[in-house]
Amino acid sequence: MKNYFPKMAILLISIFLIVFVVDSFVLNGLLHQWGTLNKEKLFLDYQWWRVVTSSFFHTGVVHILANSLALYCSGVLIESKIRSSWFLLVFLISNILEQIIFSFVFSPTSSVGSSAGIFGLMGIIVLFCLRNREFFVKHIKSREMEYLIGYCILGNVIGLGGFHFDRLFVHAVGFTIGIVLGIVSKPFLNLMPNDKTSNNMR
């Protein structure tokens, strides 16, 4: 069976790449100054767009490739289950709420990255694994799941340049928001795998 083509994940990755290339090679960091997370500009200058735009910036090639591949793997696993619109909403809401909380706790001056949204989606994936044994058995040894497990370990335990509590905080908050969104939305969004076989397991 061929993997699902995650349209929304691909769209988000395309935006990552366009922003990175244009800002790095054309605008010389102008977009970065305008859109990254900065507590002072956020709360004193009321530049609230930063809680959205900062998620689409990355610090370098390794950062953007790691996040893009993690987002793609998440899309392969669950985008068809929760629909592209809810995939996008979970990604955005997890990022936005985490950025606001992060600003209160750490007072960032130039924070970027989409990992909170990715961990939010990983929270949804964990819920699928817990609620549906067939989904778990089918995907636990897949390349996508293996990459996400490695992404989680490297991003939190080792990371780039060693352990950083702020990164662990970002990922934990994003993951928690994803779990909460999945639990709260379950009654009316039917966030269960839509495979025919899974319907027999409810």
Side-chain angles (χ1 to χ4, degrees):
M1 180 179 177
K2 292 184 178 180
N3 285 336
Y4 169 78
F5 182 76
K7 298 181 290 295
M8 184 55 68
I10 294 297
L11 176 60
L12 289 170
I13 292 169
S14 299
I15 295 174
F16 293 168
L17 295 173
I18 291 171
V19 169
F20 182 76
V21 170
V22 171
D23 197 41
S24 299
F25 301 103
V26 179
L27 299 178
N28 296 318
L30 182 62
L31 287 178
H32 189 276
Q33 297 177 20
W34 171 83
T36 58
L37 188 65
N38 180 299
K39 181 176 182 177
E40 182 177 342
K41 294 182 182 298
L42 187 66
F43 293 114
L44 298 183
D45 297 335
Y46 306 106
Q47 297 180 4
W48 289 98
W49 66 80
R50 292 177 180 270
V51 299
V52 179
T53 56
S54 59
S55 302
F56 294 90
F57 292 93
H58 294 83
T59 58
V61 174
V62 174
H63 189 200
I64 194 172
L65 289 179
N67 279 355
S68 294
L69 187 52
L71 186 59
Y72 174 81
C73 290
S74 299
V76 170
L77 291 172
I78 61 163
E79 186 175 324
S80 65
K81 310 298 183 185
I82 64 176
R83 302 189 303 274
S84 296
S85 57
W86 279 104
F87 184 89
L88 175 62
L89 281 176
V90 171
F91 174 81
L92 290 177
I93 292 172
S94 298
N95 271 317
I96 291 171
L97 293 181
E98 180 278 323
Q99 300 278 20
I100 294 172
I101 296 170
F102 184 81
S103 295
F104 279 107
V105 176
F106 289 98
S107 301
T109 57
S110 183
S111 179
V112 297
S114 57
S115 58
I118 295 169
F119 272 84
L121 293 167
M122 289 170 65
I124 299 292
I125 292 172
V126 169
L127 286 181
F128 272 107
C129 290
L130 293 174
R131 291 172 175 174
N132 189 277
R133 178 176 172 78
E134 183 168 344
F135 178 88
F136 174 79
V137 172
K138 178 180 178 181
H139 295 292
I140 189 58
K141 293 184 179 181
S142 67
R143 287 175 296 179
E144 291 79 18
M145 193 71 80
E146 289 178 350
Y147 178 81
L148 290 178
I149 292 172
Y151 174 84
C152 180
I153 294 173
L154 292 175
N156 289 305
V157 178
I158 301 176
L160 300 175
F163 176 81
H164 296 280
F165 176 74
D166 56 346
R167 186 184 300 130
L168 178 61
F169 179 88
V170 167
H171 297 167
V173 171
F175 182 80
T176 301
I177 293 170
I179 291 285
V180 171
L181 288 174
I183 293 174
V184 171
S185 58
K186 168 63 173 67
F188 53 91
L189 290 179
N190 192 28
L191 293 182
M192 288 290 290
N194 55 15
D195 303 306
K196 292 181 180 179
T197 53
S198 67
N199 292 332
N200 298 327
M201 301 179 66
R202 294 183 181 180

